[in-house]
Amino acid sequence: MVTLLRHSLWPHVLLLLVLLQVSESAFNIFRYPLNRIERKYGSLPESERLRLKEDTRDMFYFGYESYMKYAYPQDELNPILCRGRGPDREDPSNININDILGDYSLTLIDTLDTLAILGDVKEFRHAVQLVIENVNFDKNSTVQVFEANIRLLGALLSAHLLIEDKSQPFGNLEPEWYNGELLEMASDLASRFMPAFENSKTGLPHPRVNLRSGVPQGSRTDTCTAGAGSLLVEFGILSRLIGDPVYELSARRANRVLWKLRDAETGLLGNVVDVDTGKWVGELSGIGAGLDSFYEYLLKAYILFGHPEDFIMFNETYSLIKHYMRRGRPECNSGSGDHPLYVNVDMKSGGTHTTWIDSLQAAFAGVQVLAGDMEEAICIHALYYTIWKKYGVLPERFNWQRISPDVMFYPLRPEFVESTYLLYQATKNPFYLHVGRDILTSLNNLTKARCGYATVHSVLDMTLEDRMESFFLSETCKYLYLLFDADNPINLNFGRYMFTTEGHVLPLAPWLRQQTWEDGLFQELNSQSHINLSLAGCAAINEERIHRLPLKSQYLEQISVSLGVEL
């Protein structure tokens, strides 16, 4: 009787296992029941994912339509008073505003490819037309080369490449009248950056240029490493599109100069350098503000162009980062000790330099995903998720020794959202959908203003500042939407695309890797001369943990208890 019962139930058990797509290693779920945290984060209903997708779409359009109604053609939206914001003409020294805003409809340009990814063909075409007909870079505006490069040049190139894509995965984005105008605008803008290099004594670009007259006389010569060394992706693509090597070669030269300025003992770079003397002004070395996108672009430039020096520099730098900056237990998901942490160190000694980390470091987990170091990506992301849970958003600086914020504001930054999205794409673990839901809930509950989303002035009392920076629509909303939109063309063809540090989507096209510049000439790249990242040996998570938490529950609980957070 018992035997017959077993045989009669077995087909149903098999069907259940097939439906759940449970692998052999996943039988541990039945052997070891899920605990409270694993049950909470272990799944997300499909109906909930679809709701979150639509809620994110609504969030984007509330911000975008408010910008178009109340702020356009100015650069940014003030979402509390429902006004536009442009450069501070009365105080040219106000670099917090003037480094970014230049009277060129920044938010509209920065948002072009987000409209495409949302599948809004009509509004994308309309926005492209507005940009082409109304934006002019012949302005008496002094802006930071780095910010203008990633927000404007990257956006123009991305939109142009999406229009020119013959497969048109997002719908027919190309206006009937389009004739490469966005690329012409990109070329014009980049040419206005070049005085930053031409007047340099070292090959490092001056940090700021006036779009009409070049480097202002008597302007500051100190620049952050990220500012000088995060131009190669956009400059390299532009050079290959227009057949002019000057942009890529200038960016490569700057990277090589920075590489030569590494400390002789540690091999580390500082965070601020003088472009006239090549002397380090700031000797902090870390993975956050001032350095972050330099590391990111070494890896992404290699992925795009296949030039071996980019990978060699990234690989060596990443090894030094883990050697000098990593603290805590040796393994993320095994052993004992404090939760791993990447700290700021002194570039000359490698000793701890500060007791704070900053919110820009949250993007480093995404770089680790691209590098294949999944365990480390999971670990660093879990730290920032716990800090997010503690406050509802990320403070700009968090003191890991005092367990309190050092700098209180949160300007709607995308870095934590970005790494959440990339980790979900790499693991498909529902934990990251739950993280995304927490992010979306926080943004709607804590930052939504009368006509947009506002900067958090202090994470302690959740007071707001009247500013919605362009990256909120360009990156924060985009990565959240992609996290929940399983059928988006980007996600269905994830190996065909890469994002810039401003979240602009670029094709991983063979034509970008077939040629390189040498001595000003365009030559065939020897396909055997570079390392294949796919053979580099990725530290992937094991199969069993696909069905459980990315960071084992005991370690997730450890960090939540240490920061006083309830999961």
Side-chain angles (χ1 to χ4, degrees):
M1 185 69 175
V2 174
T3 302
L4 289 175
L5 180 60
R6 284 176 177 169
H7 283 294
S8 65
L9 288 176
W10 185 240
H12 300 286
V13 174
L14 283 177
L15 177 60
L16 177 62
L17 293 178
V18 170
L19 291 175
L20 292 175
Q21 296 182 330
V22 178
S23 65
E24 181 179 352
S25 62
F27 275 99
N28 286 311
I29 292 176
F30 301 105
R31 292 170 56 196
Y32 305 106
L34 300 176
N35 61 32
R36 178 188 63 83
I37 296 179
E38 290 170 330
R39 287 195 302 272
K40 178 179 178 180
Y41 292 101
S43 64
L44 189 81
E46 178 68 2
S47 59
E48 177 69 355
R49 181 188 65 79
L50 294 173
R51 182 189 70 81
L52 294 168
K53 171 187 168 183
E54 291 309 309
D55 286 352
T56 305
R57 190 181 185 93
D58 291 343
M59 181 175 71
F60 168 81
Y61 278 107
F62 180 58
Y64 176 75
E65 290 170 358
S66 293
Y67 166 76
M68 296 302 294
K69 180 178 180 179
Y70 298 109
Y72 175 79
Q74 291 185 268
D75 289 313
E76 286 182 348
L77 170 68
N78 287 352
I80 297 175
L81 294 179
C82 302
R83 298 174 183 171
R85 179 196 291 261
D88 187 349
R89 301 295 189 190
E90 295 182 0
D91 183 9
S93 66
N94 184 2
I95 60 176
N96 180 50
I97 298 297
N98 294 329
D99 270 2
I100 301 166
L101 311 186
D103 191 22
Y104 33 43
S105 300
L106 171 64
T107 296
L108 182 63
I109 295 177
D110 211 2
T111 305
L112 289 175
D113 66 324
T114 309
L115 292 167
I117 286 172
L118 288 166
D120 194 341
V121 172
K122 181 179 179 180
E123 186 57 27
F124 174 85
R125 287 183 167 196
H126 178 234
V128 167
Q129 184 174 2
L130 289 176
V131 169
I132 292 172
E133 292 180 353
N134 299 310
V135 175
N136 178 3
F137 296 122
D138 184 22
K139 303 283 187 181
N140 184 26
S141 298
T142 298
V143 298
Q144 190 186 91
V145 175
F146 166 71
E147 291 288 355
N149 172 64
I150 65 173
R151 299 200 198 199
L152 293 170
L153 185 61
L156 293 169
L157 293 172
S158 174
H160 170 74
L161 290 170
L162 289 172
I163 289 172
E164 294 290 306
D165 185 349
K166 301 302 182 184
S167 64
Q168 290 294 299
F170 305 100
N172 185 12
L173 299 175
E174 182 177 6
E176 293 79 4
W177 46 264
Y178 185 73
N179 191 32
E181 289 88 349
L182 294 180
L183 180 58
E184 292 178 11
M185 293 180 69
S187 179
D188 172 60
L189 177 63
S191 70
R192 298 174 188 274
F193 297 158
M194 293 316 293
F197 293 90
E198 294 162 359
N199 294 318
S200 169
K201 299 176 182 178
T202 60
L204 297 173
H206 283 262
R208 296 171 183 86
V209 294
N210 183 283
L211 294 177
R212 182 172 288 165
S213 59
V215 177
Q217 187 174 3
S219 62
R220 292 172 56 172
T221 58
D222 57 308
T223 185
C224 67
T225 302
S230 302
L231 304 172
L232 183 53
V233 167
E234 291 84 0
F235 276 31
I237 288 176
L238 178 63
S239 278
R240 290 153 197 265
L241 283 172
I242 67 175
D244 186 347
V246 66
Y247 301 105
E248 181 173 347
L249 292 179
S250 296
R252 284 198 177 280
R253 183 187 178 198
N255 283 6
R256 289 166 180 163
V257 171
L258 287 171
W259 191 247
K260 291 179 181 179
L261 293 177
R262 292 172 300 147
D263 184 76
E265 296 297 323
T266 65
L268 297 172
L269 296 97
N271 62 330
V272 183
V273 64
D274 188 286
V275 300
D276 278 346
T277 66
K279 302 294 184 182
W280 290 107
V281 179
E283 297 182 348
L284 178 151
S285 195
I287 60 171
L291 291 132
D292 52 349
S293 55
F294 174 67
Y295 310 134
E296 176 187 356
Y297 266 26
L298 290 178
L299 180 57
K300 288 185 174 180
Y302 174 72
I303 293 171
L304 275 173
F305 308 127
H307 202 297
E309 74 169 346
D310 299 323
F311 181 77
I312 291 169
M313 285 192 283
F314 172 80
N315 199 42
E316 183 172 337
T317 303
Y318 187 50
S319 297
L320 293 171
I321 286 171
K322 294 185 78 171
H323 177 73
Y324 285 105
M325 301 177 196
R326 193 184 186 282
R327 305 287 188 268
R329 62 178 176 270
E331 301 294 333
C332 178
N333 259 299
S334 63
S336 61
D338 293 335
H339 185 84
L341 170 74
Y342 288 81
V343 304
N344 298 314
V345 301
D346 184 284
M347 66 172 291
K348 293 182 176 179
S349 68
T352 301
H353 193 282
T354 73
T355 58
W356 52 260
I357 54 179
D358 63 64
S359 62
L360 292 173
Q361 292 178 336
F364 198 67
V367 177
Q368 291 174 315
V369 169
L370 292 181
D373 199 350
M374 292 302 303
E375 291 286 8
E376 289 293 293
I378 287 167
C379 231
I380 192 172
H381 177 274
L383 170 64
Y384 281 93
Y385 177 51
T386 311
I387 299 172
W388 182 286
K389 291 284 284 185
K390 185 174 181 68
Y391 300 103
V393 295
L394 283 182
E396 188 71 354
R397 287 182 182 176
F398 179 77
N399 192 302
W400 46 266
Q401 189 175 76
R402 297 200 307 265
I403 316 298
S404 64
D406 276 357
V407 178
M408 312 295 181
F409 69 88
Y410 169 68
L412 307 173
R413 288 201 189 278
E415 285 77 11
F416 178 58
V417 189
E418 175 187 7
S419 61
T420 301
Y421 164 64
L422 292 174
L423 274 162
Y424 180 69
Q425 284 300 111
T427 66
K428 298 300 182 184
N429 194 298
F431 172 81
Y432 296 108
L433 296 177
H434 283 268
V435 175
R437 180 169 63 179
D438 286 346
I439 295 170
L440 178 60
T441 300
S442 292
L443 291 173
N444 275 320
N445 290 346
L446 301 175
T447 73
K448 192 171 185 179
R450 186 156 64 98
C451 56
Y453 290 80
T455 292
V456 174
H457 176 71
S458 172
V459 300
L460 298 182
D461 60 16
M462 288 301 155
T463 51
L464 300 178
E465 293 181 19
D466 199 10
R467 185 177 188 184
M468 187 179 84
E469 292 211 42
S470 66
F471 53 63
F472 175 71
L473 298 179
S474 174
E475 297 184 81
T476 307
C477 291
K478 178 187 293 166
Y479 285 127
L480 262 183
Y481 184 79
L482 285 172
L483 175 65
F484 300 126
D485 186 16
D487 297 324
N488 194 279
I490 294 286
N491 294 332
L492 295 177
N493 302 280
F494 196 66
R496 290 180 51 199
Y497 299 100
M498 191 185 75
F499 295 95
T500 72
T501 195
E502 183 70 10
H504 297 304
V505 64
L506 299 172
L508 295 177
W511 60 270
L512 289 170
R513 294 177 63 92
Q514 288 172 349
Q515 296 170 306
T516 188
W517 305 102
E518 296 295 343
D519 301 321
L521 301 176
F522 216 23
Q523 300 179 353
E524 290 296 320
L525 178 65
N526 181 354
S527 61
Q528 303 300 316
S529 67
H530 61 278
I531 301 167
N532 188 335
L533 273 178
S534 65
L535 302 179
C538 298
I541 63 171
N542 64 54
E543 188 179 358
E544 177 186 340
R545 288 197 359 262
I546 294 175
H547 305 279
R548 289 185 178 271
L549 294 176
L551 183 64
K552 293 178 182 178
S553 59
Q554 66 265 36
Y555 297 122
L556 194 58
E557 286 184 292
Q558 175 198 24
I559 188 172
S560 65
V561 169
S562 67
L563 297 187
V565 175
E566 182 177 349
L567 294 175

